[in-house]
Amino acid sequence: MRLATLKDGTPGGALAVVSDDGTRVLKIGDSLPILLKLMEDWDAGQTTLAEAQNKLASGQGELCKSDAFAAPMPRSWQWLDGSAFSTHGDLMQVAFGLDPIDTDRPLMYQGISDKFFGPTEDVPLPTTEHGIDFEGEFGVIVDHVPMGTSAADAMNHIKLIVQINDWSLRAIAPIEMKTGFGWVQAKPACSMAPFAVTPDELGKGWKDGRVCLDLEIDLNGEKFGAANGAAMDFGFHELVAHAALTRDLVAGTIIGSGTVSNPNYAEVGSSCISEVRAIEMIRDKGPATTPFMSFGDRIRMEGRGIDGSSPFGVIDQKVVQA
């Protein structure tokens, strides 16, 4: 099943079901007005979702228009972002001159969750001097997860999978990291691709709690990377269990994989500019040459299914001056 949120002038938007071919959408209505309400009682909402799917199958609904979509979860109670790809972490240590992190625990921080940009919205930021960068990743949305839930049991709490662009301001990040208090200014609101999908929608692309799909990224129309999500050191179920060790996770919590990154980055490319800059520093034994984003630059991201499908739809955004 694929779900989406249509813009309707309200902060939460209007929850809708998407047809199997991704071309039509049907608003569910007052019984399930927003995705957050569905997450709070997932099982009870399945009958309503099935009825909406049947209506779509009978020809009801309207054609999808890319500018009609908000983020599938426009706002939530909690956004926790991991860093589950060790290749990315290793390269970032070079980029920021950091010492290796000696831990066998998943890395995770808590970001802002009161706003997620829709897939085609312009992204306003104050200045290019902050080092504007994108980070392509996948994420999951869970129902209520009790404190102490094991990784094995956490799989049952993963209800939806999403595709995310985690915007980052690289010039601010090392300043905030040195304080030891985590990121605030360096992490503006993230963006989401239009469709949130149930794990079964991915078929063999969902394995061991990992999204085993290529994340194709173009920057200003030029191919930038197509790293695969299967290389996570920790699966999403392990990230969920890590987050729930000492607290319940409220229904609707979103957990990210961190920047998708592969050891063979020379072949598949990268999912953020900072990683490319680190590669240049290592390779050329000198300063990086690839610039961060400028106002007017456009980023496109699309998770590509094994069969060539696009289960999450496309993020296609431009950075503009606030």
Side-chain angles (χ1 to χ4, degrees):
M1 182 183 300
R2 281 196 275 188
L3 302 175
T5 293
L6 300 176
K7 299 176 184 176
D8 67 352
T10 67
L15 180 61
V17 174
V18 183
S19 63
D20 291 340
D21 61 5
T23 62
R24 288 180 301 112
V25 64
L26 179 70
K27 189 185 300 184
I28 293 177
D30 293 340
S31 59
L32 280 177
I34 61 174
L35 181 56
L36 191 55
K37 181 173 177 58
L38 170 62
M39 301 312 303
E40 290 170 348
D41 198 346
W42 178 266
D43 291 339
Q46 296 311 300
T47 298
T48 301
L49 294 181
E51 291 172 352
Q53 284 187 306
N54 290 335
K55 291 178 181 178
L56 273 173
S58 68
Q60 297 184 46
E62 55 190 81
L63 291 176
C64 291
K65 299 178 181 178
S66 60
D67 60 356
F69 293 109
M73 182 77 86
R75 58 180 182 165
S76 187
W77 301 111
Q78 185 164 226
W79 155 238
L80 302 171
D81 197 15
S83 182
F85 294 88
S86 57
T87 297
H88 176 75
D90 293 344
L91 290 170
M92 289 303 95
Q93 289 165 14
V94 173
F96 292 115
L98 303 173
D99 293 330
I101 300 174
D102 184 17
T103 181
D104 58 358
R105 297 160 57 89
L107 302 179
M108 186 175 288
Y109 75 93
Q110 185 162 356
I112 61 172
S113 60
D114 57 341
K115 178 179 177 61
F116 288 85
F117 286 106
T120 61
E121 291 181 64
D122 289 347
V123 178
L125 293 168
T127 174
T128 57
E129 293 180 2
H130 288 162
I132 301 170
D133 199 359
F134 53 86
E135 292 191 64
E137 56 184 273
F138 298 110
V140 298
I141 306 177
V142 299
D143 63 2
H144 172 250
V145 182
M147 183 191 308
T149 294
S150 68
D153 289 340
M155 287 291 284
N156 296 323
H157 292 285
I158 296 172
K159 302 304 183 183
L160 293 170
I161 305 171
V162 292
Q163 175 189 308
I164 297 170
N165 181 4
D166 174 32
W167 293 97
S168 294
L169 302 177
R170 299 300 192 183
I172 300 176
I175 299 171
E176 292 194 310
M177 282 190 285
K178 289 178 182 177
T179 69
F181 274 82
W183 286 305
V184 175
Q185 295 176 336
K187 289 293 186 178
C190 300
S191 305
M192 282 192 194
F195 306 140
V197 308
T198 50
D200 61 285
E201 279 286 320
L202 300 184
K204 294 181 180 179
W206 175 249
K207 184 179 180 182
D208 298 329
R210 294 159 171 83
V211 180
C212 306
L213 307 182
D214 291 341
L215 184 53
E216 298 180 354
I217 298 177
D218 295 339
L219 177 59
N220 293 326
E222 299 291 330
K223 183 176 180 179
F224 193 89
N228 192 284
M232 289 174 72
D233 293 86
F234 297 94
F236 276 111
H237 56 308
E238 294 167 303
L239 296 182
V240 172
H242 173 77
L245 179 65
T246 59
R247 55 176 163 172
D248 289 3
L249 301 184
V250 66
T253 294
I254 307 163
I255 296 183
S257 66
T259 307
V260 179
S261 184
N262 293 168
N264 59 333
Y265 50 76
E267 302 168 25
V268 302
S270 298
S271 302
C272 71
I273 295 173
S274 193
E275 188 170 298
V276 169
R277 289 170 59 87
I279 293 167
E280 291 171 344
M281 293 164 63
I282 296 170
R283 182 191 64 208
D284 302 332
K285 296 181 173 58
T289 57
T290 297
F292 290 113
M293 297 182 76
S294 299
F295 293 134
D297 284 352
R298 182 172 292 278
I299 186 68
R300 185 182 191 278
M301 298 183 179
E302 184 175 18
R304 186 67 69 179
I306 297 171
D307 59 357
S309 62
S310 178
F312 306 105
V314 177
I315 293 175
D316 190 351
Q317 295 181 298
K318 183 171 63 175
V319 176
V320 298
Q321 187 163 22

